[in-house]
Amino acid sequence: MTTENQAYEEEHDDLSLNSLQTLRSVLTTREEQAFMSILFSSSATIRANNFGLPRKEVEKLLGVSREDNYFHSFLSRVNQAVGRYYRLIYDEGRDQVVVMLRVPARSARHTLSSEALAVLLFMFYQQEVLKHEYTLLTQLLEAFGHEVMKGSRRIQLAIDTLRKIGALENQQLSDKEDAYRLTAIGVHMFSDSFLRRMVEFSHSNQLSKEDVMKFFNRYNLYEREGLL
Amino acid sequence: MEEMDQSVISIFKTAQHQPELTRAMRDIISLAGVMKDLSTEAVFDSPLEMLRFLRIIELIHEESFGLTEQIDDAETLYYRYVARYEDIEPPTKERVNQIVTILVKNNWVSKQTHQIKMMSVGKRMMDALTRLANDSLAYYLEDEIGRSLFQARRDAEISEAYDDKGISGGNRIASMIRNVKDAIEKLRERELELLADRNAFPQLELIHTLMEDLAEKLDERLKQFETIEDSLVLSNLMQTGTGALNEGTSLSVGMINKYLQFMNVQQTPLQTAISPEKVRLFITKMFNPPPESEIPNAHQLFSFMDQGQYDGEQLDGIWMPVKYASPLSFAEIEKGIDFLENYEPAVADIEEVIQPEFYEENIEADSLEDLMDEASWLLTKASIDTEKIERYLEQKKEADIEETIIETGSASWSDAIRQLLGVAALEANKKVQVQPKQQVKEYDKEWEWIQDDDRKSSIRRRT
C-alpha cells in the first residue's frame, strides 16, 4: 500500500488530494466518523430545511454536549484538512451543521441561473455589507424589476430556487410584506475570487483581494464562527 | 422571348417545353454521368481520388485556354500530372486513360488521333466543379460560427452577382438570413466558452467583422428590393433580416466589450477604495445586462474566472450545499429488490372483453338452404315486427286477412300498413299461407281496400 501511494504522489505534482490523508492526524476516529455522518446527513430528498445535521446530533456523535470550544475546534480542524473541497459551516440561525462543496468556475455556470445569482448577490451585498437584517421583495423588484420583461415573475423564480437549496429563508415580519434573509449557506456561497472579480468589474480597476474581503466583512467571518 | 429577357432567368420559372431548358438539364445529366462512372467504391472510400480527377481535368482545361501545350494522348496527360503535382501515389497510366475515356463518353472532351481537346460542356462543368470544391474548402476552413457566417456572405455575394445579370440565384436573401440566425445561435451557445478562452479575442474580432460586413451586404441587397413593386413578401424577410443582424452585431459587440473591459482591468494599477454605490449599481445591472454592454452576467463572470488569471480563481467558483445519500442498509436493498421484482401497478379493475366463441359445425348440403332461409327470416324479423301476427295466428290457426290486420293492430290505417307488411313478410318467408275465401266478415275501419276482392282471403299458419 505505501509503495503504491508513493508512486502516486511522485506522479502528481498537485498533492492537494493527499490533504484528505492528513485528516487522520488532525481528527480522532470519532471525529472522522462524525464528519462522515454529516456528509451523509440526510436522505437524497431535497427540501429547503433539511441540509446537514443539527448541532445537538453532531455533538452526540462527538460524545460531548454543549462544549463550544471543542465543537468549533472540530469545525476548524475539518476545514483545515479538507478545505479545498469541502467546507463545514455552522448555521447558527437554524442550528445546523452543513457541508458545502466547492464547485470550480467552469461547472459553476451550471449550478444556478445568472438571474438567481444576481438576486443572491444583491441580498448578500445588502445584508453583509450594509448590514440590513433582511431584504424586502419590493427592494428586489425595484432593483431588478423594471426594464425587464416579466420581471417580478423571474425574480420570484430566482428566489424559489435559492430557497430550495437553502441559501435564503422567509423572514417573518409583522406587516405582510415578503422579506428574505440569507442563511449561513447563502452567506458562504460566493467564493472570494468571484467577489473580487465582481467588484473589479464594477470599478473597472484592479483591486487587492484583502480590500475586497474587508469590504464584504469576510475577515471576521471565520472569527465569529471560531474558526481562527 | 422578348419578355423572358426582361425578367430574371430561373429554371423554376421557365416553361417546361423550352428546348433551352432541356439542354441545360442535359448538361447536368452529363455531369451526373461522369460522376456515376467515377463513383466506384474505391473513389468513395478515398476522397483524394476525386481531387486527382479534378487535377487531370484541370490540365485539359488549361490546355484549352492555350496556357499549356497541346495534349497528344492520355500518356502526355500522365507525365504532365506527375511533373505538375506533388502526389505520392499519382494515378496510373491506366487510370488516366480510364478517366479520359469517361470524359469522352460524356462529351466533355473530344479525343482525336493526336489530340485531346476540351469541349464547351466540359469547360462549363469544370468551372462549376471547381467553384463547388473551392466553396466547400473555404467553408470547412472556417470554424463553426464562421461557417454559418461564411455561408451567409456567400449567399449575399451570389445574390449580388446573379441578380445584377438578371439570373435568379434562388432564394438567396432568405437563405442568407437563415444562416445569420444560425450563426447567432451558435455564438450564443459558445459565448461562455469563448469568454473563458484567454486567446479568444482575435476570434471574437473576426466574428464581429464578419457580422458587420454582412450587415452592410444585406443592407445593400435589401435596398435594391425596396424599389420592386411586389416587395410585400420581401418586407417580412427584410424585417427578420435586419432584426437578426442587429441582434448578432450587438451580441458580438457585447462580447468584445466585456472582453476588453476584462483585459483593461488587468492593466490598471491597484486601487484600494471601493465605492459601495458602484458595487450596488453593478449588481443591479448584472441581473439582465443588455447584450451590447460591457457588463457581464454571473455566468459570464464565471467564464472569465475560468481563464485563471489570478491564482486559484479557476477552482474557486462557488460553494454549494451538498448532500450525499448515506449508504443503504442491507434490509433496504432487499426491500428495493423485492419491490422491483414483485411490483404490480395498482390500477382499476380490468374490464373483461368478452370474446365471441366460435365453434365448428358440420351440416349437410341439403339443409344449408334451410339455414340460409332461417338466417334471412331472422333478418327480416329484425326490421319488421311480425310478432303479434304470429301469436294471433297461433291462437286462431286460420283467420281472415282483414280480421288479422285489425285484431293485431287497430282500425287506423297506419297500423293497417304495418300489419300488412308483416303479413307479406310472413308469406314471403313461407311462414303462412294466404288463400282466397268466399265468405268474410267486414270490420269497422278507417280505410278501404282498393280492390274489394283483396280482402276475401284467409291466412293460415304453415306447420
Side-chain angles (χ1 to χ4, degrees):
Chain A
M1 257 325 263
T2 28
T3 48
E4 242 179 24
N5 271 351
Q6 271 164 3
Y8 177 80
E9 280 167 26
E10 275 158 19
E11 263 177 39
H12 296 263
D13 291 343
D14 186 8
L15 299 180
S16 40
L17 254 180
N18 278 314
S19 61
L20 284 173
Q21 293 277 338
T22 61
L23 259 182
R24 238 181 311 174
S25 51
V26 273
L27 298 180
T28 66
T29 311
R30 186 151 196 170
E31 285 168 343
E32 277 187 306
Q33 279 173 352
F35 172 57
M36 284 168 197
S37 294
I38 299 169
L39 273 181
F40 301 140
S41 54
S42 47
S43 69
T45 36
I46 304 243
R47 272 191 295 138
N49 49 7
N50 75 343
F51 285 94
L53 278 185
R55 173 172 172 176
K56 216 172 150 193
E57 197 68 30
V58 177
E59 281 180 330
K60 211 165 95 192
L61 288 167
L62 291 171
V64 294
S65 68
R66 283 283 143 197
E67 271 187 54
D68 266 3
N69 277 343
Y70 178 61
F71 178 69
H72 288 302
S73 132
F74 165 69
L75 291 184
S76 100
R77 275 178 294 130
V78 171
N79 282 330
Q80 266 168 32
V82 296
R84 277 182 75 80
Y85 316 104
Y86 299 109
R87 188 185 274 168
L88 214 50
I89 57 160
Y90 173 52
D91 186 340
E92 259 175 275
R94 291 198 273 186
D95 193 37
Q96 289 259 350
V97 180
V98 187
V99 182
M100 291 183 79
L101 178 71
R102 194 183 198 185
V103 184
R106 181 165 306 183
S107 339
R109 306 189 297 225
H110 309 296
T111 52
L112 285 173
S113 74
S114 62
E115 287 174 359
L117 284 165
V119 169
L120 186 65
L121 198 55
F122 183 81
M123 291 176 61
F124 179 76
Y125 169 76
Q126 272 209 326
Q127 294 175 28
E128 289 297 302
V129 179
L130 307 181
K131 294 288 169 203
H132 288 194
E133 207 182 323
Y134 47 77
T135 303
L136 294 172
L137 180 62
T138 38
Q139 285 175 319
L140 287 170
L141 290 176
E142 242 164 70
F144 301 128
H146 51 98
E147 296 174 25
V148 185
M149 277 257 279
K150 291 181 191 158
S152 76
R153 166 113 190 85
R154 281 158 70 179
I155 290 167
Q156 289 279 11
L157 221 69
I159 290 173
D160 236 43
T161 19
L162 289 172
R163 207 172 33 205
K164 272 189 192 134
I165 62 161
L168 51 87
E169 55 186 13
N170 275 46
Q171 176 84 3
Q172 292 299 317
L173 291 182
S174 49
D175 43 11
K176 276 167 192 162
E177 212 165 357
D178 280 342
Y180 305 97
R181 203 175 58 83
L182 284 185
T183 64
I185 293 177
V187 172
H188 282 84
M189 270 177 68
F190 290 113
S191 65
D192 297 351
S193 305
F194 181 85
L195 293 177
R196 182 191 187 181
R197 279 293 180 203
M198 194 269 294
V199 180
E200 276 187 351
F201 248 105
S202 71
H203 282 68
S204 322
N205 223 321
Q206 229 177 338
L207 293 159
S208 82
K209 210 164 181 170
E210 280 86 50
D211 290 329
V212 177
M213 292 306 104
K214 248 183 245 163
F215 179 74
F216 286 107
N217 295 310
R218 274 227 162 157
Y219 269 131
N220 44 16
L221 201 73
Y222 300 94
E223 225 168 356
R224 205 171 61 213
E225 286 174 2
L227 296 181
L228 283 174
Chain B
M1 276 314 287
E2 283 287 337
E3 281 167 32
M4 270 308 296
D5 287 338
Q6 295 285 312
S7 65
V8 264
I9 296 169
S10 163
I11 50 158
F12 301 111
K13 285 178 190 152
T14 309
Q16 204 176 322
H17 50 76
Q18 275 202 18
E20 290 85 352
L21 183 72
T22 327
R23 290 180 69 181
M25 291 303 109
R26 188 137 287 157
D27 268 11
I28 296 178
I29 292 165
S30 129
L31 175 65
V34 172
M35 288 300 141
K36 188 176 156 241
D37 287 342
L38 273 174
S39 67
T40 54
E41 212 166 315
V43 177
F44 195 83
D45 285 340
S46 143
L48 282 184
E49 279 297 307
M50 191 46 81
L51 176 65
R52 290 184 187 118
F53 163 74
L54 287 178
R55 280 171 173 174
I56 289 171
I57 133 169
E58 174 66 10
L59 286 173
I60 311 176
H61 199 195
E62 276 175 11
E63 189 273 338
S64 73
F65 297 142
L67 286 173
T68 48
E69 280 175 41
Q70 82 167 53
I71 300 164
D72 300 333
D73 49 22
E75 200 161 324
T76 326
L77 211 49
Y78 166 75
Y79 286 118
R80 209 167 273 182
Y81 182 97
V82 177
R84 176 75 169 283
Y85 300 109
E86 278 175 36
D87 196 342
I88 316 160
E89 36 174 337
T92 55
K93 281 182 195 171
E94 288 83 57
R95 179 71 182 149
V96 177
N97 205 14
Q98 202 183 344
I99 288 173
V100 171
T101 319
I102 291 172
L103 292 175
V104 171
K105 185 176 141 202
N106 289 284
N107 298 324
W108 285 24
V109 297
S110 69
K111 194 178 171 189
Q112 295 154 25
T113 21
H114 293 296
Q115 200 183 14
I116 290 176
K117 260 195 119 154
M118 184 158 267
M119 316 236 308
S120 79
V121 190
K123 282 181 200 162
R124 261 179 291 118
M125 290 298 123
M126 184 60 203
D127 281 342
L129 278 179
T130 330
R131 231 179 293 143
L132 176 70
N134 284 341
D135 260 10
S136 295
L137 182 61
Y139 177 79
Y140 286 114
L141 285 177
E142 302 282 341
D143 85 324
E144 228 183 318
I145 302 166
R147 276 178 199 172
S148 297
L149 286 173
F150 171 81
Q151 205 55 46
R153 192 155 67 153
R154 266 211 63 76
D155 285 341
E157 279 163 6
I158 290 176
S159 146
E160 200 171 64
Y162 277 45
D163 292 341
D164 295 350
K165 294 192 179 61
I167 298 172
S168 161
N171 300 314
R172 284 293 150 188
I173 301 283
S175 154
M176 182 174 164
I177 291 165
R178 173 91 268 162
N179 278 314
V180 174
K181 277 186 169 168
D182 280 357
I184 292 168
E185 204 169 298
K186 287 206 184 91
L187 192 61
R188 229 183 256 290
E189 273 168 24
R190 288 192 47 201
E191 187 184 12
L192 294 179
E193 199 186 308
L194 282 171
L195 292 181
D197 181 1
R198 210 187 278 206
N199 305 312
F201 194 60
Q203 210 188 350
L204 285 179
E205 262 190 317
L206 194 80
I207 290 167
H208 183 61
T209 357
L210 272 174
M211 205 66 95
E212 272 188 336
D213 218 38
L214 210 54
E216 213 171 285
K217 279 245 156 66
L218 186 68
D219 241 27
E220 227 171 80
R221 290 289 86 209
L222 293 178
K223 242 183 223 132
Q224 282 206 337
F225 284 107
E226 259 170 18
T227 48
I228 291 182
E229 281 288 315
D230 56 352
S231 61
L232 217 61
V233 197
L234 277 166
S235 72
N236 220 345
L237 265 182
M238 277 156 82
Q239 248 174 7
T240 43
T242 17
L245 269 175
N246 280 343
E247 198 187 343
T249 346
S250 65
L251 190 65
S252 62
V253 167
M255 280 169 78
I256 288 183
N257 280 344
K258 287 177 192 107
Y259 211 86
L260 281 180
Q261 178 80 347
F262 182 72
M263 305 291 243
N264 282 340
V265 170
Q266 309 304 307
Q267 280 149 20
T268 56
L270 269 183
Q271 188 194 323
T272 43
I274 296 176
S275 138
E277 182 57 24
K278 277 186 187 167
V279 173
R280 197 185 61 80
L281 232 96
F282 184 76
I283 294 175
T284 53
K285 281 185 190 151
M286 262 180 94
F287 184 74
N288 192 29
E292 73 277 359
S293 74
E294 77 288 347
I295 292 164
N297 66 26
H299 288 173
Q300 289 162 346
L301 214 51
F302 281 132
S303 277
F304 282 128
M305 284 164 69
D306 203 16
Q307 286 190 21
Q309 302 257 14
Y310 286 138
D311 201 24
E313 68 174 344
Q314 228 166 335
L315 274 179
D316 210 7
I318 196 172
W319 291 85
M320 292 297 278
V322 64
K323 246 180 216 192
Y324 295 94
S326 51
L328 290 169
S329 74
F330 130 86
E332 276 170 309
I333 294 173
E334 286 278 90
K335 228 168 97 187
I337 290 173
D338 181 67
F339 175 80
L340 287 176
E341 278 179 349
N342 303 317
Y343 174 69
E344 271 178 37
V347 290
D349 289 344
I350 295 169
E351 272 181 53
E352 252 180 71
V353 180
I354 299 158
Q355 293 281 344
E357 258 180 55
F358 298 100
Y359 47 88
E360 215 171 289
E361 199 178 353
N362 292 319
I363 48 166
E364 297 288 311
D366 298 342
S367 56
L368 188 67
E369 204 177 326
D370 291 348
L371 273 175
M372 291 300 287
D373 280 353
E374 180 71 26
S376 89
W377 169 235
L378 285 175
L379 267 174
T380 315
K381 265 183 81 130
S383 51
I384 301 167
D385 182 21
T386 57
E387 203 63 20
K388 272 185 186 164
I389 305 167
E390 276 181 288
R391 242 183 290 132
Y392 186 72
L393 288 178
E394 214 162 310
Q395 267 178 11
K396 302 266 301 191
K397 305 286 183 227
E398 193 175 339
D400 294 345
I401 188 160
E402 207 175 288
E403 177 192 349
T404 316
I405 289 170
I406 290 166
E407 287 297 324
T408 56
S410 68
S412 72
W413 63 271
S414 58
D415 267 341
I417 292 173
R418 218 172 287 137
Q419 299 315 331
L420 201 57
L421 258 176
V423 173
L426 285 165
E427 220 266 316
N429 283 283
K430 300 195 178 115
K431 300 281 170 191
V432 298
Q433 202 174 15
V434 181
Q435 280 174 333
K437 197 183 171 191
Q438 290 309 314
Q439 289 294 312
V440 290
K441 274 191 266 176
E442 208 166 318
Y443 289 85
D444 265 356
K445 55 189 186 286
E446 289 179 358
W447 45 276
E448 286 297 327
W449 296 91
I450 293 174
Q451 284 182 351
D452 204 42
D453 279 353
D454 283 350
R455 72 190 175 92
K456 288 183 182 166
S457 43
S458 75
I459 314 170
R460 204 173 49 130
R461 257 188 80 199
R462 287 190 192 207
T463 44

